[in-house]
């Protein structure tokens, strides 16, 4: 299984923030916007207000691990941006996965049943 392409350019993130659809939960915010035939691309942001670099990197690892289990069910050409929140630090990737799956299902990236939100 190959890894999703990651968003790196600031303009790609701002395009998702400005033109994308958004779903928010206490643990994560998800932005989704269509792209032009580039497959599924994913980006993660964790603001400095979440804590030290160690805590922000842990949030990114948790989000990346949760998305890796959902990635095979994703279809289409979408840019997805996940924004970590304070509650993300206290969760495990298995706790975050149902929330992420429900967001991506509601936004049309994943087809399937909707999970619970935390």
């Amino acid at each position: 299984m190959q890894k999703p392409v990651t968003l790196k350019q600031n303009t790609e993130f701002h395009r998702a923030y400005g033109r994308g659809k958004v779903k928010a939960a206490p643990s994560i915010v998800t932005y989704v916007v269509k792209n032009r035939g580039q497959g599924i691309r994913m980006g993660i942001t964790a603001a400095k207000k979440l804590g030290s670099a160690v805590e922000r990197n842990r949030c990114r690892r948790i989000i990346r691990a949760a998305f890796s289990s959902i990635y095979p069910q994703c279809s289409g050409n979408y840019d997805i941006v996940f924004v970590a929140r304070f509650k993300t630090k206290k969760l495990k990737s298995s706790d975050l996965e149902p929330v992420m799956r429900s967001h991506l299902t509601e936004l049309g990236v994943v087809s399937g049943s909707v999970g619970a939100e935390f």
Side-chain angles (χ1 to χ4, degrees):
M1 183 176 85
Q2 70 185 131
K3 293 166 49 172
V5 177
T6 56
L7 299 175
K8 293 184 172 59
Q9 299 293 320
N10 191 22
T11 55
E12 296 169 336
F13 282 90
H14 281 284
R15 188 171 154 273
Y17 298 145
R19 297 185 189 160
K21 296 177 185 175
V22 63
K23 286 288 178 188
S27 55
I28 195 168
V29 179
T30 307
Y31 292 89
V32 173
V33 65
K34 277 203 170 269
N35 64 34
R36 295 185 179 191
Q38 297 170 344
I40 299 292
R41 302 188 311 166
M42 187 255 312
I44 302 170
T45 59
K48 281 191 174 184
K49 66 182 179 181
L50 288 178
S52 67
V54 173
E55 293 171 316
R56 294 193 308 270
N57 286 330
R58 182 177 189 281
C59 291
R60 289 187 198 103
R61 281 195 310 272
I62 291 167
I63 292 170
R64 202 174 299 117
F67 185 70
S68 68
S69 62
I70 299 171
Y71 179 65
Q73 290 98 34
C74 294
S75 60
N77 299 312
Y78 293 100
D79 289 345
I80 305 167
V81 175
F82 298 109
V83 180
R85 289 184 135 181
F86 282 107
K87 210 170 184 185
T88 309
K89 293 191 293 189
K90 296 176 177 68
L91 297 176
K92 296 180 181 178
S93 62
S94 58
D95 299 332
L96 189 60
E97 184 183 342
V99 177
M100 192 178 285
R101 186 179 301 277
S102 81
H103 283 189
L104 294 176
T105 301
E106 290 176 33
L107 295 169
V109 179
V110 175
S111 60
S113 61
V114 176
E117 286 200 17
F118 287 91

